[in-house]
Amino acid sequence: MNSKLKWLKLSPPRILVLGFAAIILLGGLLLMLPVSNTSGRHLPFIDALFTATSATCVTGLVVRDTGLDFTTFGQVVIMLLIQLGGLGFMTMATLVALVFKRRISLRDRLILQEAMNQNTMEGIVRLIRKVMIYSLTIEAVCAALFAARWAFDMPFGRAVYFGIWHSISMFNNAGFDLFGEYRSLTGYVYDPIVNFVAMFLIISGGIGFVVMSDLVEYRKNRKLSLHTKVVLSMTAFLIVFGAVVIFIFEFTNPRTLGSLNWGGKLLGAFFQSVTPRTAGANTLDIGGLRQATQFFIIILMFIGASPGSTGGGIKTTTFTIMIGAVIAMIRGRDDIVMFRYRLAQERIFKALTISLLALLLVIMVTMALTTTESASFLSILFETTSAFGTVGLSMGLTPHLTTIGKVLICITMFAGRLGPLTLAYALGPKKGKELYRHPEGKMIIG
């Protein structure tokens, strides 16, 4: 009896894992229904589950063409899963509780703290209110801009529907699209409106809600937190550096930038630099990129977005801390210092743990897929990293995955959305703090 009571008192990480799993299962069952797909028959469970997992984990990898294989009902289910998965089910539950003026308990606040990747519960409900306001405002404005642009290409009602659908997909860094034939935004490589609105949505959803709140309140506070400074600096660096590398590697490639004019080359390079930050949309043929560019994009996908955002990956702050640790070690310094602030040892250990767990997950899944799939190693590594980073970019392997391959990619997307550390906390036994320390030993390193 006691063991059952202990199991019922679930920790916040376990509640998050079970909550996301429940949403995925419900979404998969809805997508299985004949009313959800254009064939009018039941969709195979593994395909429905894969689509629901990809949508809830805001990834964008697809085994069925979203625009052609799903009805409007199925597409709306996918859109709602994207919104729920991007903002988090606890965020949506808190919104409902606030609407009905229900008290947010201490347990709810602990779960929200875990879901939003915050260090403290202080102001967590206030942050949730801001998350909803900022998210819905950005999505509404960008949906209107998309609709106005696409009204020139399709009937107005369809343009509005496309605008809302793709605004939600892009802001939540999902990568799903309705254009059919797995072509994403390749038809708009020259279009500045579609490119800039999509990039704004991707970056806004990827920097994190704490950063967004800091930027909105900057005029009042006249200061930015260390977290915001690090996120903005690293995000800007990765986008610019990524665009330069892609521009150089693909400049003469006739399958990508080589056939475009200078405006198209610049837009293409910058969009393909932004989208690996877990967005998944693309204006260039990913399969047509040179291998050097594809491997570089794998690195960008592994880094991913920022904490407390709609994106995945190890996160920009984790990558920054790892780089800072290397620089500090080379310079012979004991502390990592950023913007005149010293980082605690605990932050460094956490960054190292996240990076190693993520790397191990990608390596193990890639090794497993090389035995189940008939594809090149780079293609499999690309697909696995895309799943972990909840990116959604693909070299064309996903629609041809075996059943075992689909299951492995589902697990990878799930782990990538929740974070390897949260998943480890949820699955591992909870241990109390040790009351003693072992004697210090010495090892030779390097």
Side-chain angles (χ1 to χ4, degrees):
M1 185 68 178
N2 289 334
S3 61
K4 289 184 179 179
L5 288 174
K6 284 181 181 178
W7 176 250
L8 288 173
K9 294 179 180 179
L10 297 173
S11 63
R14 283 180 178 168
I15 290 175
L16 286 177
V17 169
L18 292 175
F20 269 98
I23 292 169
I24 289 169
L25 184 59
L26 177 60
L29 293 174
L30 288 173
L31 293 175
M32 276 184 67
L33 299 174
V35 71
S36 295
N37 57 86
T38 52
S39 68
R41 295 191 297 270
H42 284 285
L43 194 67
F45 176 71
I46 185 62
D47 288 353
L49 183 68
F50 189 98
T51 305
T53 304
S54 185
T56 307
C57 298
V58 290
T59 305
L61 291 174
V62 291
V63 290
R64 297 285 178 140
D65 194 310
T66 313
L68 298 179
D69 293 336
F70 289 99
T71 61
T72 302
F73 176 81
Q75 291 168 3
V76 170
V77 169
I78 292 171
M79 181 180 70
L80 293 176
L81 289 174
I82 290 170
Q83 186 76 294
L84 197 57
L87 299 183
F89 73 94
M90 276 306 300
T91 303
M92 304 299 286
T94 304
L95 175 66
V96 173
L98 292 173
V99 168
F100 288 99
K101 297 182 179 179
R102 178 178 154 265
R103 181 176 170 273
I104 309 299
S105 68
L106 176 63
R107 187 168 181 75
D108 293 336
R109 293 170 193 266
L110 283 169
I111 299 169
L112 286 169
Q113 179 189 344
E114 183 71 30
M116 299 301 293
N117 204 8
Q118 298 300 296
N119 297 323
T120 176
M121 287 188 298
E122 185 181 355
I124 192 70
V125 176
R126 189 164 59 250
L127 175 62
I128 296 302
R129 287 196 186 99
K130 291 177 182 177
V131 165
M132 297 308 301
I133 293 170
Y134 300 157
S135 301
L136 296 178
T137 301
I138 291 172
E139 286 175 351
V141 171
C142 291
L145 292 172
F146 273 148
R149 167 61 188 86
W150 286 328
F152 291 96
D153 300 338
M154 59 187 76
F156 182 72
R158 185 173 175 81
V160 171
Y161 174 63
F162 266 51
I164 295 171
W165 209 97
H166 289 91
S167 181
I168 290 173
S169 178
M170 298 294 175
F171 179 76
N172 289 289
N173 282 213
F176 281 84
D177 71 272
L178 300 178
F179 292 101
E181 299 177 0
Y182 306 107
R183 54 188 169 140
S184 192
L185 299 177
T186 52
Y188 296 95
V189 64
Y190 285 110
D191 196 305
I193 296 175
V194 173
N195 275 262
F196 285 121
V197 172
M199 284 192 284
F200 173 75
L201 282 165
I202 293 165
I203 294 169
S204 299
I207 58 176
F209 299 113
V210 173
V211 175
M212 208 180 295
S213 177
D214 265 10
L215 291 175
V216 171
E217 295 182 359
Y218 178 73
R219 292 179 64 181
K220 182 174 68 175
N221 299 332
R222 288 295 170 185
K223 65 176 183 178
L224 297 174
S225 66
L226 172 64
H227 172 79
T228 299
K229 290 177 181 177
V230 170
V231 166
L232 293 178
S233 301
M234 183 52 68
T235 298
F237 169 77
L238 288 173
I239 290 173
V240 174
F241 179 70
V244 171
V245 171
I246 292 169
F247 185 85
I248 293 171
F249 284 173
E250 297 298 316
F251 187 80
T252 58
N253 185 352
R255 296 182 63 185
T256 55
L257 297 183
S259 60
L260 306 179
N261 60 27
W262 275 93
K265 289 180 194 293
L266 290 173
L267 281 176
F270 269 97
F271 195 93
Q272 263 54 233
S273 177
V274 169
T275 197
R277 314 303 306 293
T278 86
N282 57 285
T283 57
L284 300 178
D285 177 16
I286 300 300
L289 296 171
R290 291 191 168 117
Q291 288 190 351
T293 311
Q294 290 168 345
F295 188 75
F296 177 70
I297 288 177
I298 287 173
I299 297 171
L300 293 180
M301 292 192 296
F302 187 76
I303 296 170
S306 302
S309 71
T310 59
I314 63 170
K315 305 295 191 291
T316 52
T317 48
T318 302
F319 179 68
T320 305
I321 290 172
M322 297 299 290
I323 295 296
V326 172
I327 294 173
M329 180 62 69
I330 291 173
R331 291 182 175 178
R333 295 178 179 175
D334 294 329
D335 298 320
I336 300 176
V337 179
M338 295 179 184
F339 295 98
R340 299 182 181 178
Y341 284 95
R342 173 179 58 85
L343 295 184
Q345 289 285 343
E346 177 197 354
R347 301 289 96 190
I348 302 168
F349 287 141
K350 187 173 182 179
L352 178 62
T353 304
I354 290 171
S355 300
L356 282 178
L357 285 175
L359 188 61
L360 285 171
L361 176 65
V362 170
I363 289 172
M364 288 190 296
V365 174
T366 301
M367 288 174 64
L369 288 175
T370 55
T371 63
T372 64
E373 312 303 316
S374 299
S376 67
F377 175 77
L378 186 62
S379 177
I380 291 172
L381 178 62
F382 191 99
E383 223 79 5
T384 305
T385 311
S386 180
F388 166 73
T390 68
V391 181
L393 291 176
S394 174
M395 290 172 60
L397 173 61
T398 306
H400 308 291
L401 288 171
T402 62
T403 300
I404 297 175
K406 290 174 184 177
V407 172
L408 287 171
I409 291 295
C410 279
I411 293 171
T412 309
M413 291 189 289
F414 190 72
R417 178 65 185 97
L418 287 167
L421 201 56
T422 298
L423 206 58
Y425 285 153
L427 299 177
K430 188 173 178 60
K431 295 182 179 179
K433 189 174 182 180
E434 290 183 346
L435 301 177
Y436 59 90
R437 296 181 74 186
H438 293 280
E440 184 177 319
K442 296 186 183 297
M443 287 177 61
I444 298 173
I445 298 176

